[in-house]
Amino acid sequence: MAKIIVITSGKGGVGKTTSSAAFATALALKGHKTVVVDFDVGLRNLDLIMGCERRVVYDFVNVVQGEASLRQALIKDKRVENLFVLPASQTRDKDALTVEGVEKVLDELAQDFDYIVCDSPAGIEHGAHMALYFAEEAIIVTNPEVSSVRDSDRIIGILQSKSRLAEQGKSVKEHLLLTRYNPTRVARGEMLSVEDVLDILAIPLLGVIPESEAVLKASNQGVPVTHDTNSDAGQAYDDAVARYLGEERPHRFIETQRKSFLKRVFGG
């Protein structure tokens, strides 16, 4: 039976869709049959980051409303054998998603996949509520700034009170993914530290993704940053997924790198 993982944030622009693409890709690269579902009806960015925007014919809403089959709407990833994308609609309203319709699609996906990664819209509007409602596990994506962390705390409250598991008296398993982290700026007092964020949100830390040009480059190329194994961000996402799957890995990229003697003398 598939595990439903919702990747969510309270605030837009924190790297949530980038994280959905990277996380799903890393799961598939580790041998797990994975589908990533775009719940952001009306905007639809996941297919761009996954590099499959030209292949979109049918979408999530078409399947929910019975206008296309799931097989027709699923897009097979170009690079990874067991990775698929279910894109959102750009032309429909978010109210096109219904609890019954979404549940039916997720149940059908669960028969075929190991992991269903749901890319939730930011905030607490209808599309986000749909994704959060069905979460079995949630990855809360936040930047190390007060407004982002505060909004993430609100999302945690919704997961703990309005999800399907909460209605059943159970808990959604929560993980923290801290993105765009810059230890030099933390040391200067311009960003919250990892410890500050953990004190506020009080959920387990899954990974710290460093501020990196590789993320923007990968997004512009339509290639999830997980494929860039030489980049610090690509390695950090790989670490996060390894930890999610139960592997013990130390957290990297959270301390300032001390320059070597030669770099201090000659620069660089």
Side-chain angles (χ1 to χ4, degrees), residues 60-176:
F60 190 12
V61 172
N62 291 139
V63 180
V64 166
Q65 299 194 339
E67 298 161 353
S69 69
L70 191 54
R71 186 177 292 275
Q72 287 175 295
L74 282 173
I75 301 170
K76 190 175 186 299
D77 188 74
K78 300 173 188 176
R79 303 168 192 85
V80 186
E81 179 65 27
N82 50 353
L83 178 61
F84 292 79
V85 180
L86 182 56
S89 170
Q90 267 186 317
T91 58
R92 305 294 185 95
D93 189 83
K94 288 176 170 61
D95 291 333
L97 297 180
T98 63
V99 171
E100 298 76 18
V102 172
E103 183 173 31
K104 185 179 177 184
V105 173
L106 293 177
D107 286 347
E108 193 174 342
L109 288 170
Q111 296 170 27
D112 236 359
F113 290 91
D114 301 320
Y115 290 99
I116 302 169
V117 177
C118 302
D119 179 28
S120 168
I124 55 171
E125 43 80 7
H126 183 73
H129 270 290
M130 280 291 131
L132 295 171
Y133 181 75
F134 291 100
E136 295 172 352
E137 299 199 27
I139 296 173
I140 317 296
V141 182
T142 188
N143 291 161
E145 56 181 60
V146 172
S147 63
S148 180
V149 175
R150 181 195 61 199
D151 290 348
S152 292
D153 208 22
R154 190 176 183 190
I155 293 295
I156 292 169
I158 291 171
L159 283 165
Q160 293 175 349
S161 60
K162 293 189 174 182
S163 64
R164 182 167 60 174
L165 285 182
E167 291 176 354
Q168 297 168 359
K170 301 173 186 175
S171 298
V172 175
K173 188 174 183 182
E174 298 153 346
H175 311 269
L176 174 63

Side-chain angles (χ1 to χ4, degrees), residues 21-39:
F23 201 85
T25 299
L27 282 171
L29 286 169
K30 293 180 187 299
H32 302 281
K33 192 174 183 185
T34 305
V35 59
V36 55
V37 183
D38 192 348
F39 274 78

Side-chain angles (χ1 to χ4, degrees), residues 215-235:
V215 173
L216 179 60
K217 181 182 174 184
S219 295
N220 287 337
Q221 292 176 340
V223 180
V225 73
T226 315
H227 287 292
D228 186 358
T229 54
N230 293 321
S231 72
D232 48 5
Q235 293 168 26

